[in-house]
Amino acid sequence: LQLWYECQSYRETVLEFEAELNSARERHDYTSISAVKRQLLYWYTPFKEAIEAEQLKCLNGEKGIESRQGYAPFLLTLKADKLAIIVTHEVVGMLLRSGGGAYDFMNDRDKAKRGGGVKLITLAMKIADAVEAEVAVERVLAKLAEDRKKLRESMGNQPIEKEEISDTEVDHAKDSSETEATGEKKELRKVGNPYSAMAFEQFLPTTEKDTKSSTMTRAKAKAKYILQNDYDWPPNLKIKFGVILLQMLMDTAKMITPDEFNGQPAIHYEKIVMGRTLELQGYVSVNERLYQLAVEDKFEGFRPFATRYQPMIVPPDNYTSPNRGGYKALDVFVMRTSGCREQKNALRRSDLGDIYRGLDALAKVPWVIQKENLEVAQRCWEEGIVIGDIPQKTDVEVPEAPERPPKPENMTKEHPGYDEYRQKLQAYITAVSKYRKAAQKNMDLRSLRCSALLKLEQAEKFKDFDEVFFPYNLDFRGRVYPIPPHLNHLGSDLSRGLLTFAEAKPLGDRGLYWLKVHLANLAGADKMSFDDRIKYAESNIDNIRSSAEDPFGGEMWWMSCEYPFQALATCREIIRAIDSGDPSTYMSALPVHMDGSCNGLQHYAALGLDVVGGKAVNLIGCDEPQDVYIGVMEEVIRRVDEEAARTVTFDPSQNLSKREKDAMKRNKAAKLVWGSIDRGVVKRTVMTSVYGVTFIGARNQIKEKIEEKLKEKGENVDEMEEEIYSASSYLASVTMEVMGDLFTGARQTQNWLTDCARLISSRGHPVAWLTPLGVPAVQPYRHKKLHTVRTILQRVSLALSDDDLPLHKSRQVSAFPPNYVHSLDATHMLMTGMEMDRRGLTFTAVHDSFWTHAADIDEMNSVLRSCFVDLYSQPLLEELKKTWELRYPDLEFPPVPKKGEMDLRSVLNSSYFFQ
């Protein structure tokens, strides 16, 4: 069954498409098929026939507008029916998931309705990637069949018990999955054994016509080589291949509807003028009517093909090498290397035993779907209840696209109509801003709808399994991520609220206490002491009971929580524990979280043993939790108040110096934001400051919050674009100054890491280091090389990244401090995970958020603190400097910053280190 989920979805869909199409034709009735799937069925036959015709031309060596020699072998790797299914679902699915690209042919002037769509080069590469992945699966299945054949031969052609996959087992597995998911028995037609020994020729189209034997032989030979060998498809040929398939789909996919959309192209390509350079870029979009049908069908036709990488229904394989582990058949590499050969080679040379043990410990944790929360989420979607990750089902109204006022000839500042023209131009700029914001809002809403439905579909698909599992891999810094992209505990509140541990444990003496703390955290009451959080939960016990017993009745308190779906699950758990009569024996499976307190600063404070920084981020114990964001906010407010109270007397009509102009800007900005600064305004900038946020990034973060505050005051932010921009720049500058003043220890360490990275990159080397658990980290940042690829639609510039290209030195330098700190927080998490596993305790994590059963929170708290002390008891910076000195003996690195006097072991007794 697991192999079916990984390998057979496209094969089954081809057969189902053929069967549904034939059945509908025989009945002369398509009404029983969903509206959007009906469209796909209409396109299927002409698209498949177009692919077959192109395959024949490739075999015959016929010349065309585009040279066939490059892409022909790739086109011949799969049969036309499977290619038609893959391309259709990838193209339409990606356009729908992107949130943009809904092209309204009835109102071509309204650019907001199409939102630009998806770049041609992106879509073409996605098509090729999907075909390449399917070819890799065919390769795995062929190998599996060959191995089984050899085993049978070695046994004298005796039947293979247990290990053998019989001719009917795939049918049985499909039958099991469908009956488990629906509770109904379904009669399935026999599809044959996909694991039988494969003759690669069966994937090549057959023809009765005479063909040029030498041309056919070469084409078949290349296709066979691609099918039999682990071969990286060249990017330039993938682009050509993807565009050819896309063009055939656009030529054959027409809307067939009983309205004015009938006969219109379902998919549209156009060149759009982009950016200040007025560059023409190719974009692809879907017909607005197709988007509407997809929403009405809840994306029914596309959800099964959103990804091959789904949750598993058996424990993932343990890692035994960088490319062996996780899924049973799908290719998975232990690290997402971004194509960096140096990184891959370093991994193959390294001892990754600890990393494998850590990943395997996380992967073997069994989960189940929270069916009650799933039903609540589905009802929210059906009834249009906007909550958490479930967005509104209707688009916002988009104003008419404005037209730029014509500029009179010979217009100068002295012209009598100059002021009037400038007013019209400013009105146009304001209208464009409103127009673009509304269009972007609609694109965001469409993307969110698709994302929410994909999560709900995945949960529905796996809800009746007793256990599901998530395989994991790393990014180049060593941070851990679940591989399934849509439904996993790393995701949003909706994703997390749909999942719970499969194993339940008695709450014990302290489990209910931690459930109440957990609920307070989810409700947003996480800045107070644990005891006060308990009081908060108990004071809301009536709301908690009402939420648990009737989520859609009473006050619906859970909907007001910061993380509503997780809060609802916790409400149920608390009430059931209380109602059990003895909460200590209540069997609870709900994950409870303990989160780091501005974790990046915690790691910096530990590196430098910084007393001031350590106290601010709870490395040193206090009776109440320290809130670093409040500390920064208070100092920012003090400085802004001081500036706003000043009186600036410069006359703006006079010629002012730059210093005077800057003083006026600061004062005006301070007056605008005065009274609007709270914790939320500075939080993101503080949180990301240790991860290398730029001034521009900080300004954008603050601008978003300032706009929210001004809207609450009734201000028309669209009319204040320039003032808000200036105020956000001022406030970002003040916030970053405060951070530098308050956290001098962190700044010193950050500067040292930056200086070292600058030295290394100046010699043409990427910055590389070994994490404390032995992960070789190599920064992949290099300048891209633009390679022009000519396709039948347009010339596209393909940005190639290669280890032979010059380093992107500025990125190598600026990215290293945050990347190094991320590698340390990943080390801390994996160390904790391995120790929890050694003790037989369930553990999972989302970077600096550590999860376990409520009954085991106290033990996990002890483990994570001990692991943190063990990690930072090592001379990490000194060892880092030593490895660089050995590797680059001609470079003289600056001395490691002097450490402070913080007692690292104080972490062991700090209640709010993780909270």
Side-chain angles (χ1 to χ4, degrees):
L1 184 54
Q2 179 60 42
L3 284 171
W4 182 88
Y5 273 125
E6 292 182 29
C7 304
Q8 289 306 109
S9 56
Y10 281 128
R11 178 189 178 92
E12 289 297 300
T13 304
V14 170
L15 294 171
E16 288 171 7
F17 254 59
E18 297 276 14
E20 284 189 275
L21 187 60
N22 291 333
S23 175
R25 282 174 173 168
E26 290 172 3
R27 292 181 286 106
H28 302 287
D29 179 18
Y30 289 84
T31 56
S32 62
I33 303 171
S34 68
V36 73
K37 195 168 188 179
R38 203 178 310 154
Q39 297 298 318
L40 271 63
L41 285 171
Y42 292 147
W43 313 340
Y44 173 68
T45 299
F47 185 31
K48 182 185 73 169
E49 291 173 351
I51 295 173
E52 288 174 339
E54 182 64 23
Q55 287 176 323
L56 180 60
K57 291 175 182 177
C58 289
L59 286 169
N60 287 331
E62 294 183 25
K63 294 182 179 180
I65 299 174
E66 174 72 38
S67 173
R68 292 188 169 95
Q69 289 183 352
Y71 65 79
F74 305 109
L75 192 66
L76 296 172
T77 53
L78 299 176
K79 294 178 73 173
D81 53 4
K82 185 174 282 190
L83 280 172
I85 296 293
I86 292 173
V87 175
T88 301
H89 284 86
E90 288 295 332
V91 170
V92 182
M94 186 175 185
L95 291 174
L96 294 175
R97 289 195 301 274
S98 72
Y103 188 93
D104 187 352
F105 286 85
M106 305 308 295
N107 189 7
D108 181 63
R109 205 167 45 80
D110 189 354
K111 299 279 196 293
K113 290 260 181 104
R114 57 188 165 178
V118 176
K119 279 187 178 182
L120 172 67
I121 187 171
T122 303
L123 193 56
M125 189 63 80
K126 182 71 174 177
I127 293 169
D129 286 343
V131 176
E132 185 178 16
E134 180 65 16
V135 169
V137 168
E138 299 285 13
R139 190 183 306 123
V140 170
L141 294 180
K143 179 69 166 59
L144 188 152
E146 182 65 24
D147 290 346
R148 200 180 76 249
K149 179 182 177 184
K150 290 178 181 178
L151 179 60
R152 184 185 290 117
E153 291 173 349
S154 69
M155 297 174 63
N157 288 320
Q158 295 296 315
I160 303 172
E161 297 183 0
K162 294 184 179 180
E163 291 83 6
E164 182 174 9
I165 302 174
S166 69
D167 285 351
T168 59
E169 275 189 74
V170 174
D171 299 297
H172 175 70
K174 178 81 184 297
D175 191 28
S176 299
S177 70
E178 292 196 357
T179 55
E180 283 185 72
T182 64
E184 301 173 355
K185 290 186 177 179
K186 295 187 178 181
E187 183 176 348
L188 297 171
R189 67 191 177 285
K190 182 177 175 62
V191 298
N193 179 15
Y195 305 103
S196 60
M198 291 183 179
F200 286 97
E201 295 298 321
Q202 72 177 318
F203 294 107
L204 303 178
T206 57
T207 175
E208 296 178 358
K209 296 182 179 181
D210 293 331
T211 57
K212 299 176 183 177
S213 58
S214 61
T215 302
M216 176 181 282
T217 300
R218 284 196 303 272
K220 283 188 174 183
K222 288 181 181 179
K224 186 174 181 179
Y225 177 83
I226 293 169
L227 278 163
Q228 290 179 322
N229 294 275
D230 188 5
Y231 167 70
D232 288 334
W233 297 16
N236 60 323
L237 296 182
K238 287 174 75 171
I239 293 293
K240 288 176 178 284
F241 174 55
V243 170
I244 285 291
L245 287 168
L246 176 62
Q247 180 68 70
M248 286 189 281
L249 178 61
M250 289 192 296
D251 289 343
T252 54
K254 308 295 181 185
M255 297 298 298
I256 301 180
T257 58
D259 53 30
E260 68 272 22
F261 292 92
N262 188 54
Q264 292 178 1
I267 301 165
H268 175 75
Y269 164 79
E270 69 173 334
K271 292 182 180 179
I272 299 176
V273 177
M274 301 294 291
R276 295 180 179 178
T277 60
L278 302 182
E279 179 185 3
L280 280 173
Q281 293 186 7
Y283 278 79
V284 183
S285 50
V286 295
N287 191 294
E288 176 70 16
R289 182 64 182 136
L290 183 61
Y291 175 82
Q292 294 168 359
L293 292 174
V295 172
E296 291 167 9
D297 286 348
K298 300 185 199 174
F299 299 93
E300 185 70 39
F302 305 98
R303 289 178 287 162
F305 306 98
T307 178
R308 284 188 177 279
Y309 296 94
Q310 304 179 78
M312 297 181 68
I313 56 175
V314 298
D317 289 345
N318 288 340
Y319 276 101
T320 56
S321 70
N323 60 342
R324 290 288 181 271
Y327 289 100
K328 302 295 180 180
L330 295 177
D331 285 340
V332 170
F333 200 74
V334 72
M335 181 181 284
R336 306 171 187 192
T337 61
S338 303
C340 179
R341 292 196 311 272
E342 189 171 348
Q343 178 78 76
K344 285 188 174 182
N345 293 335
L347 286 167
R348 293 190 174 101
R349 294 192 301 266
S350 300
D351 178 5
L352 299 177
D354 283 341
I355 296 301
Y356 295 160
R357 282 188 288 276
L359 292 175
D360 295 341
L362 295 171
K364 73 180 184 182
V365 172
W367 300 79
V368 291
I369 302 300
Q370 290 213 43
K371 294 182 184 179
E372 291 168 305
N373 259 21
L374 175 58
E375 291 174 2
V376 169
Q378 289 170 333
R379 180 172 169 183
C380 287
W381 170 260
E382 294 294 341
E383 297 183 4
I385 299 173
V386 179
I387 178 173
D389 309 314
I390 297 181
Q392 65 190 57
K393 298 173 76 172
T394 56
D395 286 352
V396 301
E397 185 177 350
V398 179
E400 186 172 347
E403 294 185 9
R404 187 185 183 99
K407 183 178 181 180
E409 294 184 11
N410 304 318
M411 173 65 74
T412 64
K413 291 184 179 181
E414 291 73 27
H415 192 283
Y418 179 79
D419 289 341
E420 181 183 358
Y421 167 73
R422 291 294 299 175
Q423 289 176 358
K424 289 181 180 179
L425 185 61
Q426 186 58 50
Y428 165 76
I429 293 171
T430 301
V432 166
S433 177
K434 290 181 180 179
Y435 171 80
R436 287 176 176 171
K437 285 180 180 178
Q440 184 62 51
K441 176 70 173 176
N442 283 340
M443 286 192 283
D444 293 343
L445 284 170
R446 292 180 174 200
S447 183
L448 287 170
R449 287 175 206 136
C450 192
S451 176
L453 286 169
L454 286 170
K455 291 178 175 67
L456 294 176
E457 185 276 334
Q458 289 270 282
E460 179 69 27
K461 183 175 184 177
F462 290 96
K463 71 177 183 181
D464 291 318
F465 285 100
D466 293 333
E467 296 178 330
V468 295
F469 301 85
F470 299 103
Y472 296 81
N473 62 4
L474 314 167
D475 67 11
F476 77 90
R477 304 163 300 187
R479 272 196 151 190
V480 177
Y481 297 85
I483 296 172
H486 298 302
L487 181 66
N488 61 64
H489 67 283
L490 188 76
S492 60
D493 171 61
L494 177 59
S495 288
R496 297 180 186 189
L498 293 172
L499 293 167
T500 191
F501 292 140
E503 178 191 1
K505 297 185 72 171
L507 282 177
D509 294 337
R510 296 259 294 168
L512 184 57
Y513 177 93
W514 287 117
L515 280 175
K516 291 177 180 178
V517 168
H518 183 53
L519 180 57
N521 290 343
L522 295 171
D526 55 348
K527 316 300 183 298
M528 55 188 75
S529 69
F530 288 139
D531 288 343
D532 285 342
R533 293 179 217 186
I534 296 296
K535 292 175 183 176
Y536 172 85
E538 291 175 347
S539 69
N540 280 287
I541 196 65
D542 291 340
N543 288 324
I544 294 170
R545 180 172 292 278
S546 175
S547 296
E549 294 176 351
D550 185 5
F552 295 98
E555 297 294 324
M556 295 184 286
W557 176 80
W558 67 278
M559 290 190 181
S560 66
C561 294
E562 190 171 348
Y563 302 101
F565 289 105
Q566 293 175 85
L568 178 59
T570 311
C571 287
R572 288 200 199 94
E573 203 78 347
I574 289 172
I575 294 304
R576 287 170 181 170
I578 293 172
D579 291 352
S580 70
D582 183 3
S584 66
T585 62
Y586 174 74
M587 302 296 287
S588 174
L590 189 77
V592 175
H593 317 165
M594 289 284 111
D595 298 350
S597 305
C598 198
N599 194 237
L601 280 173
Q602 288 181 321
H603 286 279
Y604 268 117
L607 279 170
L609 297 180
D610 178 12
V611 175
V612 175
K615 185 174 182 180
V617 292
N618 295 297
L619 266 61
I620 298 171
C622 294
D623 294 335
E624 299 281 334
Q626 300 299 300
D627 189 337
V628 63
Y629 308 114
I630 291 291
V632 173
M633 178 203 74
E634 289 174 345
E635 178 58 21
V636 169
I637 288 175
R638 188 192 67 77
R639 297 187 186 190
V640 170
D641 287 351
E642 189 177 89
E643 177 62 44
R646 293 177 58 229
T647 301
V648 176
T649 58
F650 303 125
D651 183 356
S653 65
Q654 301 298 316
N655 289 327
L656 302 179
S657 66
K658 184 179 182 303
R659 184 177 179 181
E660 290 171 332
K661 289 179 181 178
D662 289 343
M664 284 190 65
K665 280 185 178 180
R666 282 195 305 272
N667 191 256
K668 187 177 180 180
K671 285 180 167 62
L672 179 63
V673 300
W674 183 83
S676 297
I677 303 169
D678 62 11
R679 184 179 184 272
V681 172
V682 301
K683 180 179 178 180
R684 284 177 65 195
T685 301
V686 174
M687 190 164 46
T688 56
S689 64
V690 294
Y691 296 130
V693 67
T694 63
F695 173 77
I696 294 173
R699 182 188 65 207
N700 291 340
Q701 292 167 353
I702 288 172
K703 181 174 180 285
E704 184 180 320
K705 290 295 182 180
I706 291 299
E707 285 179 344
E708 290 177 10
K709 297 294 179 184
L710 292 174
K711 282 180 182 177
E712 291 172 5
K713 292 181 176 181
E715 300 283 359
N716 186 344
V717 295
D718 292 327
E719 305 290 341
M720 304 171 63
E721 188 87 23
E722 192 173 335
E723 293 94 326
I724 293 173
Y725 180 89
S726 178
S728 302
S729 299
Y730 162 72
L731 199 52
S733 176
V734 172
T735 304
M736 296 181 84
E737 286 173 7
V738 169
M739 285 294 298
D741 294 342
L742 291 182
F743 299 98
T744 56
R747 186 66 65 197
Q748 288 173 2
T749 303
Q750 194 173 36
N751 290 341
W752 182 82
L753 293 170
T754 299
D755 291 342
C756 292
R758 187 174 290 110
L759 276 173
I760 294 169
S761 62
S762 69
R763 298 300 179 92
H765 301 292
V767 182
W769 68 101
L770 201 65
T771 74
L773 281 181
V775 178
V778 181
Q779 293 194 146
Y781 313 120
R782 293 179 180 273
H783 286 288
K784 305 289 185 181
K785 180 181 180 182
L786 290 179
H787 178 71
T788 301
V789 180
R790 180 181 175 274
T791 72
I792 57 172
L793 290 177
Q794 69 174 70
R795 293 179 182 270
V796 297
S797 294
L798 182 61
L800 298 176
S801 183
D802 189 275
D803 289 0
D804 298 325
L805 293 173
L807 287 180
H808 196 306
K809 293 182 180 178
S810 62
R811 286 201 69 195
Q812 288 283 340
V813 173
S814 64
F816 175 59
N819 285 340
Y820 180 68
V821 171
H822 278 314
S823 75
L824 296 179
D825 70 41
T827 298
H828 177 224
M829 187 275 284
L830 284 170
M831 289 172 65
T832 303
M834 286 188 285
E835 178 58 21
M836 290 286 284
D837 182 57
R838 189 188 69 78
R839 298 186 184 201
L841 302 176
T842 299
F843 174 85
T844 193
V846 180
H847 304 319
D848 63 343
S849 178
F850 293 4
W851 301 14
T852 192
H853 288 92
D856 298 325
I857 284 292
D858 287 306
E859 189 165 0
M860 184 183 75
N861 278 335
S862 174
V863 170
L864 70 88
R865 284 161 174 77
S866 296
C867 289
F868 190 84
V869 172
D870 290 344
L871 173 61
Y872 284 101
S873 294
Q874 304 173 51
L876 297 178
L877 296 183
E878 289 79 3
E879 288 294 329
L880 182 64
K881 181 172 181 280
K882 187 181 297 184
T883 59
W884 284 337
E885 288 173 337
L886 289 172
R887 187 170 184 181
Y888 311 112
D890 58 329
L891 293 179
E892 185 175 345
F893 292 92
V896 172
K898 185 179 178 181
K899 292 188 177 182
E901 298 179 355
M902 184 183 71
D903 180 2
L904 190 58
R905 294 186 64 79
S906 62
V907 170
L908 298 174
N909 300 312
S910 176
S911 299
Y912 300 104
F913 170 52
F914 270 57
Q915 54 181 307

